[in-house]
Amino acid sequence: VIWNSYGNFYLNTNQLDSALQAYLKALSFFRDTSVRFRANTYNGLTDLEIKKRNWRKANSYAKKALFIAKNSTNISSEKYSLQNLITISQEQQNYKRAFEYQKQLNALLDSLDKMNNEQMFNELEQKYQNEKKAAEILELKSAKEILEEKRKTEKVTNLLILSSIGGISIILILLLLVKSARHKKFLAVKEKEKQIKEFELQKAEKDLEHYKNELNDFTRHLLDKNKLLNELRKELKNIK
């Protein structure tokens, strides 16, 4: 039953490939268990092929569904199969065959009317509605599980994206810090070099000033000595 429900869900959401796989798994499961539900599966496959407008396959599946439904007294599936066969025949413009299936459908509906047992009919209808409701509940549950799984996947994806962004941000911050530290170190070295150059320049200026002063002193000393010598020469001349 669950694979039929999955197939119905995928079919209703136009996920035709997934619906086909679900129905085929249902057939594989029902082959060894309930034959009755195989009619529902073939009806699902019929609806699938009708959506694809593949009338040949749809007709084949609908016939199988009708055969199984008749032999397992699955009246709701028999009715559904005949309605599908009428639709397919009309689409194929085989109105004679459509008329034959319409007569079978009318006979089936007449037989239901002639049962004169309202309780039995109600029980059959209730059983059909219960099966339909159970299938709908299962479809909703399956859809909820699929959505929940999708949300979990999206949550994990978002966490991975946020983690990646966080990691990249940390790396960028570290690179900026390293670059800032290197820049500060570079500025500190430049400042140190500037201070050393200024100190050396100041020292050179002081040394130059000192040498200039010494040269001036030496020059004055020579001049004084030269003046003294000239005076001595004059005195010597006067003495002579």
Side-chain angles (χ1 to χ4, degrees):
V1 178
I2 188 169
W3 287 114
N4 270 344
S5 300
Y6 280 135
N8 293 336
F9 170 77
Y10 289 131
L11 182 64
N12 291 332
T13 54
N14 286 322
Q15 300 181 59
L16 302 185
D17 290 337
S18 298
L20 177 60
Q21 295 302 318
Y23 286 136
L24 292 177
K25 287 182 179 179
L27 285 178
S28 177
F29 178 79
F30 291 142
R31 187 175 290 112
D32 300 322
T33 54
S34 176
V35 176
R36 176 184 176 83
F37 290 108
R38 291 179 68 186
N40 298 336
T41 306
Y42 279 119
N43 278 329
L45 287 167
T46 303
D47 291 337
L48 174 66
E49 297 302 333
I50 287 174
K51 275 199 171 189
K52 291 181 178 181
R53 302 189 68 81
N54 190 339
W55 306 117
R56 187 179 60 81
K57 278 191 175 181
N59 185 62
S60 176
Y61 287 137
K63 284 182 177 179
K64 289 179 180 179
L66 179 62
F67 177 80
I68 294 170
K70 283 183 176 180
N71 286 280
S72 59
T73 62
N74 189 342
I75 296 175
S76 60
S77 290
E78 184 178 353
K79 178 183 173 183
Y80 195 88
S81 303
L82 286 168
Q83 289 171 337
N84 275 339
L85 285 166
I86 292 168
T87 300
I88 294 165
S89 298
Q90 289 173 344
E91 288 292 337
Q92 292 180 315
Q93 298 183 355
N94 192 336
Y95 300 110
K96 181 179 180 181
R97 189 174 64 191
F99 179 72
E100 292 298 323
Y101 286 131
Q102 185 64 57
K103 286 199 299 183
Q104 292 184 41
L105 179 60
N106 292 339
L108 176 64
L109 295 175
D110 288 340
S111 67
L112 289 175
D113 291 337
K114 291 176 183 178
M115 283 182 181
N116 294 323
N117 190 339
E118 191 67 26
Q119 184 177 359
M120 180 180 292
F121 178 78
N122 290 336
E123 287 177 357
L124 290 171
E125 185 65 23
Q126 186 63 41
K127 185 175 181 181
Y128 170 74
Q129 292 298 333
N130 289 339
E131 289 178 355
K132 184 178 179 181
K133 187 175 181 180
E136 290 174 352
I137 292 171
L138 191 56
E139 287 177 11
L140 291 173
K141 185 177 179 182
S142 300
K144 185 178 178 181
E145 289 175 354
I146 291 169
L147 289 174
E148 188 65 28
E149 187 65 28
K150 186 177 180 180
R151 288 195 188 103
K152 288 180 181 178
T153 303
E154 289 177 350
K155 187 175 180 181
V156 171
T157 303
N158 291 335
L159 286 173
L160 289 174
I161 292 171
L162 289 174
S163 299
S164 300
I165 293 172
I168 293 170
S169 300
I170 291 171
I171 291 171
L172 290 175
I173 291 170
L174 289 174
L175 289 173
L176 288 173
L177 289 173
V178 170
K179 185 176 180 181
S180 177
R182 287 180 178 175
H183 185 64
K184 287 179 180 179
K185 186 177 180 181
F186 173 77
L187 291 177
V189 170
K190 285 290 183 183
E191 183 64 25
K192 190 70 175 177
E193 289 177 351
K194 182 180 178 181
Q195 292 176 358
I196 291 171
K197 286 180 179 179
E198 288 178 354
F199 175 76
E200 289 177 347
L201 183 60
Q202 290 175 1
K203 186 174 181 298
E205 289 176 351
K206 287 180 180 180
D207 289 343
L208 182 60
E209 186 67 27
H210 176 69
Y211 293 144
K212 284 172 68 176
N213 292 333
E214 285 187 350
L215 182 60
N216 289 334
D217 291 341
F218 180 71
T219 302
R220 283 195 297 271
H221 179 67
L222 288 176
L223 290 173
D224 291 341
K225 282 183 74 175
N226 191 34
K227 184 178 180 181
L228 180 61
L229 287 172
N230 288 332
E231 289 176 356
L232 287 173
R233 284 194 189 100
K234 287 180 181 180
E235 289 180 2
L236 287 172
K237 286 180 179 180
N238 291 331
I239 293 172
K240 290 180 178 181

